[in-house]
Structure formats: structure tokens, C-alpha cells
Amino acid sequence: MKLLAESPHASDTQPPIYHSIKTAFLLAESSGILSLRVFQVMILVTIYELGHAIYPAAYLTIGTCARYGTALGLNKTVEQFDTPSIGGSERELEEKRRSWWAVIVLDRFVNLGCSDNACMFENPSADSILPINDDLWDRGDEACSPAHRLSSPPIESMGRFSLTVQASILLGKVFRHTHESPEVDGFKAQEARSLENTLVALTNVSLQEGRSRGIVLCSPTTICFSARLLLHDSERRPGNTGADITDRFRYQEISSDIAAYMRSLAEALKSRGYRLAEEASPLCLEAMYRSGIMYARRYSETSDLEDLHAFDIIVAGLQVMSTRWRLAACYNKLLEARKITGIL
């Protein structure tokens, strides 16, 4: 927790405590220790590595989490309420379930930077059990929470973590969709429309949930944004052969809408500064980066100063976020490089 809570220092990308924890993992592994607490520390370290752009460590740590969690049997906790082989009280089972879902969320997100990579986890079944509402979990009222399945329509009362899980699973489906074989009898186009509609519906629920709680930066929303941008950007698909003019116009429309929202978030970051950055998840950064690319690309095509101004706002927002997550500074460097080289 101490490692994750600290803000990055320019002179020390990997502080001694980080290396100490990684060494402790090796000792635990060589000693044959299987513990939920060790697994949860792995999750926190993965978030740290992802948020501070420590690659390929973040990608590799996720793989370790997958094997370690499976060895603990945590993958079974999302498939049924009663897991006698694992044991524990209702609260303990929910804790294990939430831990396993957290790793699945991170697994989907860590692949956004290189969508050619395969996700470590297959998509869970539609009947998989979602985490309970966050407020009920914080109060210890597990018994009061209605059961929601992965296939359940998204509603505000599910809570932010459940919505984040659903968004991440949809992102995984987008990964699979972009890697599938070419169009067969219109099926792929139909699947893309279905994914788009589902992502939009989940985004609307997430936005409403955020407004009702006064949350500016919501992880489910920005994960949905990242998924939609990947779904419609033919240039990021393996074996890209280009898109027809209709696809390009559709992508421009979607990316413009998302970029406008991310611009408003960047403006909020500028006005509220470090205080908001402290509350923000690194899961929002990829969508902000893609929005910066969109504005830079549009400015290069139209020379519209409003697009240049929007690009500068995105850069400023990422600069504020870099006080909390080093990944934001890396994204800013990439945006600057794209702007200088004209590779947009």
C-alpha cells in the first residue's frame, strides 16, 4: 500500500521498496507459499507497474497473477456462490471473488498498449457472479446485496466495480473481435454493431452512476471509451488492410464524441489539479491519450486552431495526471513525438 500510495519521483522510477517486494515474491514462490494476501499484493504491484509504465514487468506480473490465483482456486469463486473446495465465510468468498475480478480487469487493460498480445484469461461465462455493490461491501452487508451475473443488464445499483468488470469483459470481446478471421456473411459487422450498442449502453449507466456519486473520472466509462476506439479503428487491427470511407467517417464521429468528453475531463484536471489526480485511476489515461491523437490528427488536416487548443488541454490534463501516475508523462512524450514527426 505504501508503494502504491506514493507519487512518482522523477529521479527514481523503481524505488528500493519496489525491488524488495518483487524479491519477496520470488522467495514466496520458492518457499511454496500460496496465500490470498500474497496474491493481493501482486495485484497492487501490477497497478503500480501499469500506472508508472514499468513494462514489460506489468504484463509479466499479470501472467504470474493468473497462475497464482488459479493455484489458489480463485477462478472458481466467480462461477458459483458456494465453493466448498475453497472454504471461508461469505465475506471471505466475496473478497476472493473481487480479487480475481481485479486481475481480469487489469489483464484486459494492460493489453491496450499492444492489442496484438493475447489476454491471459478467457472471458468468464455469462453466469459468472459479479462483485457486490461497493457501498455494501464497505459496510460489510454482503447478505443484503442482490446477485448480479455478468450477463445482467448494467444498472447503477450494481456499483462501480461491477460496471468496471463488465466494461473490461467487453474490452476483451473487442480484442477477440479484432483478431478474428475476415468477414463471413455479415457476421463480423453484426457483432461489431452489437458490441458498440452494448458499450454505449454501459457507458450511459456508468456516466449516470458517476454523476449520482459526484465522481468525475469513472473507470467503467473510460474503459468503454478505449474499447470503442479500438473496435472502430481499422489501423490498429492486426493485418490492417484499411477501412472503407463509411468506416472512417463512423470512426471520426465516435472518436470526436469521446475526445470531447476527455477534453472536459482534462479541463477539470487543470482546474482542480493534484487533488483530482489523486482520486483518478490510471485506467482513464489510454482514452485521454487517444483523444490527444485525434485532436492532433484533425489539426494537421484542417489547421483549425480550436483543435490545437483542445490538444493542448489534453496535454495539460495528462501533465497533471503525471504527478500521480508516470504513465501519463509517457503518453505526453508520445503525443509530442507524434506531433513533431507528423505520424498521426
Side-chain angles (χ1 to χ4, degrees):
M1 291 297 292
K2 173 179 171 57
L3 174 69
L4 194 60
E6 289 185 346
S7 298
H9 302 286
S11 60
D12 193 3
T13 57
Q14 298 181 24
I17 187 175
Y18 168 74
H19 292 289
S20 297
I21 294 172
K22 297 287 280 190
T23 301
F25 285 160
L26 294 175
L27 291 174
E29 180 183 331
S30 61
S31 301
I33 297 174
L34 284 175
S35 162
L36 177 63
R37 293 293 172 258
V38 172
F39 180 73
Q40 290 170 331
V41 171
M42 287 182 180
I43 295 172
L44 296 177
V45 169
T46 303
I47 296 172
Y48 179 84
E49 291 171 338
L50 190 154
H52 296 300
I54 304 176
Y55 292 99
Y59 182 74
L60 298 175
T61 306
I62 279 290
T64 303
C65 286
R67 295 295 187 187
Y68 198 93
T70 301
L72 284 169
L74 300 185
N75 54 310
K76 300 176 184 177
T77 62
V78 303
E79 300 300 336
Q80 56 190 39
F81 284 103
D82 186 19
T83 50
S85 61
I86 299 176
S89 66
E90 186 174 348
R91 183 167 181 80
E92 289 170 336
L93 287 174
E94 175 64 21
E95 182 180 7
K96 293 173 181 177
R97 188 177 296 126
R98 296 173 81 87
S99 299
W100 185 250
W101 278 126
V103 173
I104 292 179
V105 170
L106 293 172
D107 174 56
R108 297 302 187 266
F109 187 81
V110 80
N111 284 289
L112 267 174
C114 183
S115 56
D116 285 346
N117 291 339
C119 295
M120 288 298 302
F121 304 86
E122 292 292 331
N123 276 337
S125 69
D127 289 331
S128 296
I129 305 161
L130 289 173
I132 66 172
N133 181 283
D134 307 302
D135 290 337
L136 294 177
W137 168 251
D138 291 339
R139 295 200 304 264
D141 293 339
E142 294 82 12
C144 300
S145 177
H148 292 293
R149 303 283 180 168
L150 187 57
S151 58
S152 300
I155 54 176
E156 289 180 54
S157 61
M158 283 181 172
R160 201 179 350 161
F161 191 20
S162 279
L163 296 177
T164 300
V165 168
Q166 287 190 320
S168 300
I169 295 302
L170 287 173
L171 175 58
K173 290 183 177 181
V174 171
F175 282 137
R176 186 204 63 209
H177 173 84
T178 58
H179 284 76
E180 283 180 346
S181 56
E183 181 76 66
V184 178
D185 296 331
F187 173 77
K188 195 165 185 179
Q190 182 179 352
E191 183 184 50
R193 286 192 294 271
S194 176
L195 284 169
E196 166 67 10
N197 292 338
T198 307
L199 284 163
V200 169
L202 180 54
T203 300
N204 291 335
V205 173
S206 175
L207 288 172
Q208 183 57 42
E209 196 263 352
R211 283 191 290 267
S212 65
R213 294 172 178 269
I215 300 171
V216 178
L217 288 166
C218 293
S219 297
T221 302
T222 54
I223 292 174
C224 285
F225 286 165
S226 293
R228 293 179 68 200
L229 291 172
L230 176 61
L231 177 64
H232 295 285
D233 189 353
S234 61
E235 294 181 1
R236 294 169 64 192
R237 297 173 192 163
N240 165 51
T241 56
D244 62 36
I245 192 69
T246 303
D247 288 341
R248 288 200 296 272
F249 278 132
R250 179 63 175 150
Y251 174 67
Q252 289 170 2
E253 178 185 4
I254 290 171
S255 60
S256 294
D257 290 343
I258 291 173
Y261 183 85
M262 297 310 296
R263 172 182 172 170
S264 68
L265 290 183
E267 288 175 329
L269 283 164
K270 282 182 61 181
S271 62
R272 293 171 60 178
Y274 183 73
R275 183 164 56 90
L276 181 56
E278 273 291 293
E279 302 171 2
S281 161
L283 302 183
C284 75
L285 296 175
E286 201 270 348
M288 191 172 290
Y289 165 65
R290 295 291 170 189
S291 299
I293 293 175
M294 194 282 298
Y295 282 124
R297 180 179 294 160
R298 206 160 67 181
Y299 174 70
S300 71
E301 295 170 351
T302 65
S303 299
D304 188 337
L305 292 179
E306 181 60 28
D307 289 327
L308 179 61
H309 178 59
F311 174 83
D312 290 338
I313 290 174
I314 292 289
V315 169
L318 285 170
Q319 183 62 41
V320 173
M321 286 292 288
S322 70
T323 62
R324 181 64 184 90
W325 302 109
R326 194 182 304 277
L327 178 60
C330 294
Y331 276 142
N332 256 351
K333 289 179 181 178
L334 289 173
L335 285 176
E336 186 62 26
R338 283 174 174 268
K339 183 180 178 183
I340 292 173
T341 61
I343 302 175
L344 301 170

